[in-house]
Amino acid sequence: MSSVNKGLSKKLLARVLSVYFILTLIVTTGQVFTEYLNTKSHIEGELQTLKNTFSTSLTRAIWELNTPQAKSIAVGLMELPIIEGVQIRDENSKYIADLGRTSKLIDEPITKGVVRDHSGSTFGYSFPLIFEFSGRTSLVGDVTLYSSIDIIFSRIEVGIFFLIGNAIVKTGFLVFLFMSAFRTMLTNPLNELSQQISDFHLEDPESSKLDLGISDNNELKLLETSYNKLIDEMIIYQAKLSGAQNALKEANKLLDEQNISLEEEVAKKTATLSKIMLDLEQQKDELLINQRELRQENENRKFIEDELRNRNSELAKSMETVKLAKDQLIESERMASLGGLVAGIAHDVNTPLGVSITATSFLQERISKLQTAYEEKSLTGSTMSTFISDAQQTATLLTNNLNRASDLISSFKQVAVDQTSEAEREINVSQYLTEVIQSLAPNFKKTKHTINVSCPEDLTFTCAPGALAQIFTNMIMNSLIHGFENIEKGCIDIEISQDEGNLIINYSDNGKGLISDTLDKHFDAFFTTKRGKGGSGLGTHIMYNLVTQTLKGDIKVHSEPNQGLQYKISLPV
């Protein structure tokens, strides 16, 4: 019995200490986790504070396309202790700098500051770079600063050791205190209790009462009192046991009578259950009928789905037909543009050719007169001098007009060949643009509009020239037909430069501009403001496809009413 008491004391002590150890572990873990969250929040605050330190200079560097400075700022940020990685992207989500431990970001631009957890036990703060100019804001890129859990643990390492050491010291002290208290207050009294209970005599219960010698009014004292009271009650119950046996016989008799009554009740319940089973059979038949109706409904739905699938197939074929028609319309638009170019060039070539024919006729007349004077031997020095002067003037006039006609035909020939061919070749951008503008000169002949071109003379570009000619032709003719409507003197500015492997084309006019609703549909197919007046609505759509698909570039348009229209085109070299 003593070994059982010792085992009980040890188990009780082990459970108390286990509960305390678990609580201590939970509290310590909670404190460590709280310290981790506080430190992580502090580091996230430091990352957000860094935004105010360098975002202005980094935004200006990206706005000014100063990539070396942007990368230098990124390298400087990597020197900070809390920074594990830096990612800087431009407005097209292309990476300018990607240093240290980073993760792949979504392709869409970041429009507001946000803190995210990433793979590899890192987290980062991402925020946009917004440049303000003339009261307007422009998104030029975004930045993501990375930190890691290793930095957090390096900051809270000392605190964690202190919390663990404190928990160990308190646990050891309480183990010693509990063991001493259990031995004095529980183990020894329980041993005494076990010994006295083992000496219990059933024949003489009165002599088996407990006396533990405990003066405190605690649980063991209560147990001693209850045990002694139990012995007193047991003596009383022994006297009542014989009476209880007689009462048990009477109860058995009553139980037999109750069994008979219960059998009768079971028979009644069985009859009721049979009726319920008949009702269930009827409900089963109704359920089978509902299942057949549901099966028929499913077959009807399947037939409808097949019909819908056939209609979708027909619709897909119709879409292919519409796409083919659209491509044919686009090709027709290109041929119509080439036809207009032929008509304009033919009209412009007629003038120098007519002058050349007149000059030739005049020269033939002078030669005839000179021949007549020579044959009649009336040729004088004055007549010869007059002929030579007229011949020189006529030759000069012929040379100038024939050269002019030759230049017009050469420029038209090159532009026409390029517009009907997709072969790539290297072109001098400045010279080729001059040829395109010269081929469009007949359209500007009776106007006061001007075209200003700024392009380096040695700038070359390898592409399908027809695509580039079509783009400039569509932009210039759109300005002439739409932008300069009811404007007497319009101006077109074309600025071309090369920047970081891209050909940059900035096109602008001072026309009447576009409203926002029209600007949103500017590149849509078949959208035109000249519907019924010769406009097909494919000019800007063709231009957009040539830039983005044929030349793999990017085009942006900006316009306001009465503020003209601007295109910015970027083409990879």
Side-chain angles (χ1 to χ4, degrees):
M1 192 70 177
S2 177
S3 61
V4 174
N5 289 337
K6 289 182 180 180
L8 180 62
S9 300
K10 289 182 179 181
K11 288 180 180 180
L12 184 59
L13 178 61
R15 291 185 180 181
V16 171
L17 293 178
S18 298
V19 171
Y20 172 77
F21 177 75
I22 292 172
L23 290 176
T24 302
L25 181 62
I26 293 173
V27 171
T28 304
T29 303
Q31 290 175 338
V32 171
F33 183 70
T34 302
E35 187 69 16
Y36 168 82
L37 292 180
N38 290 336
T39 305
K40 181 179 180 182
S41 177
H42 183 69
I43 290 177
E44 291 175 353
E46 292 181 14
L47 293 178
Q48 296 175 7
T49 303
L50 286 175
K51 168 189 174 183
N52 301 327
T53 303
F54 71 89
S55 61
T56 301
S57 58
L58 184 56
T59 301
R60 181 165 292 277
I62 296 177
W63 176 262
E64 295 175 353
L65 301 177
N66 191 348
T67 303
Q69 183 179 353
K71 292 182 177 179
S72 176
I73 293 174
V75 172
L77 288 172
M78 287 297 298
E79 298 296 327
L80 297 177
I82 65 170
I83 299 298
E84 287 280 353
V86 176
Q87 283 181 333
I88 302 175
R89 303 189 302 178
D90 60 15
E91 71 276 8
N92 297 320
S93 300
K94 294 182 179 179
Y95 289 96
I96 297 175
D98 189 1
L99 306 177
R101 296 171 61 184
T102 61
S103 299
K104 181 174 177 57
L105 301 176
I106 60 176
D107 292 335
E108 298 180 355
I110 296 172
T111 57
K112 63 179 181 178
V114 62
V115 177
R116 293 191 180 97
D117 290 327
H118 300 279
S119 60
S121 69
T122 61
F123 60 93
Y125 174 62
S126 301
F127 57 90
L129 297 175
I130 299 175
F131 184 80
E132 295 186 2
F133 180 74
S134 299
R136 292 184 295 181
T137 60
S138 177
L139 179 65
V140 299
D142 54 67
V143 178
T144 301
L145 302 178
Y146 290 87
S147 188
S148 67
I149 296 176
D150 297 335
I151 294 177
I152 297 176
F153 281 117
S154 65
R155 289 195 175 186
I156 64 174
E157 183 178 6
V158 176
I160 292 175
F161 288 155
F162 176 79
L163 290 174
I164 295 174
N166 182 36
I168 292 173
V169 171
K170 290 192 293 186
T171 301
F173 175 76
L174 286 175
V175 168
F176 174 77
L177 184 63
F178 275 120
M179 290 182 66
S180 300
F182 266 75
R183 185 181 298 107
T184 303
M185 301 177 64
L186 187 61
T187 304
N188 293 337
L190 284 177
N191 290 334
E192 182 66 23
L193 175 63
S194 299
Q195 182 63 37
Q196 293 189 23
I197 290 176
S198 62
D199 295 337
F200 176 78
H201 297 287
L202 186 61
E203 294 79 11
D204 187 14
E206 185 68 28
S207 63
S208 300
K209 290 185 177 181
L210 295 178
D211 184 13
L212 301 178
I214 298 174
S215 59
D216 297 332
N217 190 18
N218 54 22
E219 287 79 5
L220 292 176
K221 184 65 176 179
L222 180 62
L223 178 62
E224 176 186 300
T225 303
S226 299
Y227 182 82
N228 293 335
K229 184 178 179 181
L230 179 62
I231 290 178
D232 292 334
E233 291 176 353
M234 188 178 66
I235 295 173
I236 296 172
Y237 287 146
Q238 283 178 344
K240 295 179 179 180
L241 183 59
S242 57
Q245 290 176 346
N246 295 328
L248 181 60
K249 292 179 180 179
E250 293 293 331
N252 288 332
K253 182 178 179 181
L254 293 174
L255 183 59
D256 293 337
E257 295 175 355
Q258 188 68 24
N259 285 335
I260 295 172
S261 174
L262 184 59
E263 289 176 357
E264 295 175 354
E265 187 69 21
V266 168
K268 294 179 181 179
K269 294 293 183 182
T270 301
T272 303
L273 183 60
S274 298
K275 184 179 180 181
I276 293 174
M277 291 298 293
L278 292 175
D279 293 338
L280 287 176
E281 286 292 331
Q282 184 179 0
Q283 292 178 3
K284 179 181 177 181
D285 294 338
E286 293 176 356
L287 181 59
L288 291 175
I289 295 173
N290 291 334
Q291 285 179 344
R292 283 196 295 271
E293 293 176 352
L294 182 59
R295 189 178 298 108
Q296 182 64 35
E297 184 177 355
N298 287 335
E299 290 177 356
N300 293 336
R301 288 185 178 180
K302 184 177 180 181
F303 175 75
I304 294 173
E305 288 177 357
D306 293 338
E307 286 294 321
L308 289 175
R309 194 174 293 109
N310 293 333
R311 295 294 175 87
N312 286 334
S313 178
E314 294 175 359
L315 181 60
K317 293 180 180 179
S318 300
M319 289 298 295
E320 291 178 358
T321 304
V322 170
K323 183 179 179 182
L324 180 60
K326 176 183 173 183
D327 293 339
Q328 291 175 349
L329 283 174
I330 291 174
E331 185 62 25
S332 298
E333 178 73 11
R334 291 178 60 187
M335 292 298 103
S337 174
L338 185 58
L341 187 62
V342 170
I345 289 297
H347 181 272
D348 241 32
V349 168
N350 271 339
T351 300
L353 289 180
V355 173
S356 298
I357 293 171
T358 303
T360 303
S361 300
F362 175 76
L363 184 59
Q364 286 177 344
E365 181 183 350
R366 287 290 185 268
I367 292 173
S368 298
K369 289 182 179 181
L370 181 64
Q371 184 179 2
T372 302
Y374 175 74
E375 290 174 351
E376 294 176 352
K377 299 187 183 298
S378 60
L379 182 62
T380 62
S382 174
T383 302
M384 192 65 182
S385 297
T386 301
F387 171 76
I388 292 173
S389 177
D390 291 342
Q392 288 177 343
Q393 292 178 8
T394 302
T396 302
L397 185 62
L398 280 170
T399 301
N400 292 337
N401 281 275
L402 290 176
N403 284 337
R404 181 183 174 194
S406 176
D407 292 340
L408 286 172
I409 293 172
S410 296
S411 62
F412 162 73
K413 178 181 177 182
Q414 186 61 62
V415 172
V417 169
D418 286 338
Q419 287 198 12
T420 57
S421 172
E422 296 183 355
E424 291 189 356
R425 63 185 177 89
E426 185 178 68
I427 61 172
N428 183 290
V429 179
S430 177
Q431 294 177 2
Y432 192 74
L433 180 56
T434 301
E435 293 177 358
V436 173
I437 294 174
Q438 190 173 6
S439 68
L440 297 175
N443 298 284
F444 287 83
K445 187 174 182 180
K446 297 180 180 180
T447 69
K448 296 181 180 180
H449 306 319
T450 59
I451 300 177
N452 301 319
V453 178
S454 174
C455 177
E457 295 293 334
D458 59 347
L459 180 59
T460 60
F461 184 57
T462 301
C463 67
L468 199 61
Q470 187 73 44
I471 291 169
F472 280 113
T473 300
N474 287 5
M475 290 192 296
I476 293 173
M477 293 307 296
N478 275 350
S479 295
L480 177 63
I481 296 172
H482 302 279
F484 296 154
E485 185 179 16
N486 300 325
I487 295 178
E488 181 179 357
K489 188 175 182 180
C491 180
I492 296 174
D493 294 314
I494 302 175
E495 181 182 347
I496 303 177
S497 61
Q498 186 171 352
D499 181 33
E500 294 185 358
N502 290 320
L503 184 71
I504 306 300
I505 301 173
N506 289 306
Y507 176 95
S508 63
D509 64 37
N510 62 345
K512 63 182 183 180
L514 297 175
I515 61 176
S516 60
D517 292 342
T518 304
L519 187 64
D520 293 339
K521 303 175 183 177
H522 189 62
F523 293 121
D524 291 354
F526 307 111
F527 176 77
T528 178
T529 58
K530 296 288 185 180
R531 182 71 66 192
K533 299 179 182 179
S536 66
L538 290 174
T540 55
H541 182 68
I542 292 173
M543 184 169 64
Y544 180 83
N545 287 338
L546 289 174
V547 172
T548 59
Q549 297 179 15
T550 304
L551 299 179
K552 308 300 181 183
D554 178 65
I555 181 171
K556 295 180 180 178
V557 60
H558 174 74
S559 180
E560 293 181 4
N562 301 319
Q563 298 294 324
L565 181 139
Q566 300 85 38
Y567 291 107
K568 182 175 182 180
I569 302 175
S570 177
L571 304 176
V573 175

